[in-house]
Amino acid sequence: MDWGMENRFSRLFDQKSGRTVLFAVDHGYFMGPTTGLEQLDKAVGPLLPYVDALMLTRGALRNYIKPNVDVPIILRVSGGTSILAREWGDLLHEGITVSMEEAIRLNASAVAFSVMVGSRFERDTLLEFTKVIDEAERYGIPTLGVVAVGEGLNRDARYLSLAGRIAAELGARLIKTYYCEEFERVVSTCPVPVVIAGGKKIPEKDALTMAYSAVQAGAVGVDMGRNIFQSEDPVAMIQAVRAIVHKNATPDEAFELFNELKNR
Ligand code: R5P
């Protein structure tokens, strides 16, 4: 890695643990005013001290985050379809939505692009993805590959390792995917670090257990959204997630911390 790439990449991680708690609040790019993010600034502000990097769109960054905030930004640069596109089988059929020049202007530490492996339009998203990677590499900006598999395919180790490996081979510096059984296989067959998405909101203890299992299986951290900002206490939840990622806390210990902070 050259100096600029390495510098931006290392900013995404906690220097002590070498792991990361990325906070994803980019949902509006295809879900509109997602529950918990209606007033994005109010949802994100109290959590910023506990975030290793913030993942969001340029519109959210410009309109909801003050420029003097000291947090690395992972800028979403793909989109083009809404949640409604699921009805006609086009969900995550994404293209480039932000130029690299704009990413640099916004001082992004990384850019994120979603690819859908195993769908009829996988070729479109994979080729657009490589265009972004070429541009990002030119300026020393790491690309986070947000990896999903086509509707109807199981989110299991077989398909997620296939998709993650493809995204890494195409040039992603970091992979974000879903947690699954035998997650070791997804991590060990991927040549770049892997973080997990949280997915739909589940009970806090279950989300903490998932984060723990992922990290124990070799994930370098999480890129969670809804399981933090839709929690009954997001500030307590992110600290509990941090305990797991950065301090190897067990799910029981982290859940105890969550309850303690919540009741304070
Ligand atoms: C999905 O394409 C988006 O990047 C989401 O923001 C992401 O999956 C993380 O959010 P969550 O933890 O809510 O799944």
Side-chain angles (χ1 to χ4, degrees), residues 45 56-57 77 87 108 110 157 173 175 180 208 235:
L56 76 182
T57 62
V77 297
E87 276 183 41
R173 299 276 182 168
I175 298 295
C180 63
L208 293 169
V235 175

Side-chain angles (χ1 to χ4, degrees), residues 27-144:
H27 305 61
Y29 88 97
F30 78 115
M31 287 166 66
T34 311
T35 306
L37 293 181
E38 295 90 342
Q39 307 299 326
L40 193 140
D41 47 350
K42 293 194 175 65
V44 171
L47 299 177
L48 283 175
Y50 310 105
V51 164
D52 292 316
L54 191 59
M55 177 183 179
L56 76 182
T57 62
R58 67 171 154 187
L61 184 61
R62 278 188 195 147
N63 294 303
Y64 292 116
I65 308 294
K66 292 208 168 78
N68 64 354
V69 76
D70 185 21
V71 66
I73 298 300
I74 302 178
L75 189 68
R76 170 166 284 284
V77 297
S78 73
T81 56
S82 75
I83 186 85
L84 304 177
R86 172 169 274 149
E87 276 183 41
W88 54 93
D90 240 9
L91 186 68
L92 291 178
H93 187 172
E94 299 191 357
I96 300 168
T97 55
V98 182
S99 69
M100 209 48 60
E101 186 188 356
E102 173 81 328
I104 293 164
R105 192 180 298 123
L106 292 168
N107 199 25
S109 295
V111 291
F113 193 105
S114 288
V115 292
M116 184 72 121
V117 172
S119 70
R120 66 183 164 76
F121 51 77
E122 69 170 14
R123 184 170 186 276
D124 293 4
T125 61
L126 291 175
L127 292 182
E128 291 290 286
F129 180 53
T130 55
K131 284 184 199 157
V132 162
I133 293 169
D134 275 340
E135 278 289 286
E137 292 283 321
R138 189 196 312 271
Y139 298 108
I141 299 177
T143 302
L144 166 67

Side-chain angles (χ1 to χ4, degrees), residues 24-27 29-30 55 76 92 114 146 176 178 197-200 223-227 229:
V25 290
D26 59 330
H27 305 61
Y29 88 97
F30 78 115
M55 177 183 179
R76 170 166 284 284
L92 291 178
S114 288
V146 182
K176 165 177 171 170
Y178 295 97
K200 281 190 183 151
D223 186 9
M224 260 185 187
R226 288 163 290 182
N227 277 290
F229 64 72

Side-chain angles (χ1 to χ4, degrees), residues 139-195:
Y139 298 108
I141 299 177
T143 302
L144 166 67
V146 182
V147 167
V149 293
E151 299 259 343
L153 296 181
N154 290 334
R155 283 183 184 171
D156 60 18
R158 177 182 171 201
Y159 289 118
L160 293 178
S161 58
L162 171 89
R165 177 64 176 260
I166 288 171
E169 297 243 2
L170 292 179
R173 299 276 182 168
L174 183 63
I175 298 295
K176 165 177 171 170
T177 191
Y178 295 97
Y179 177 72
C180 63
E181 296 284 311
E182 297 179 74
F183 198 67
E184 295 83 356
R185 209 169 123 195
V186 178
V187 175
S188 67
T189 57
C190 184
V192 300
V194 177
V195 293

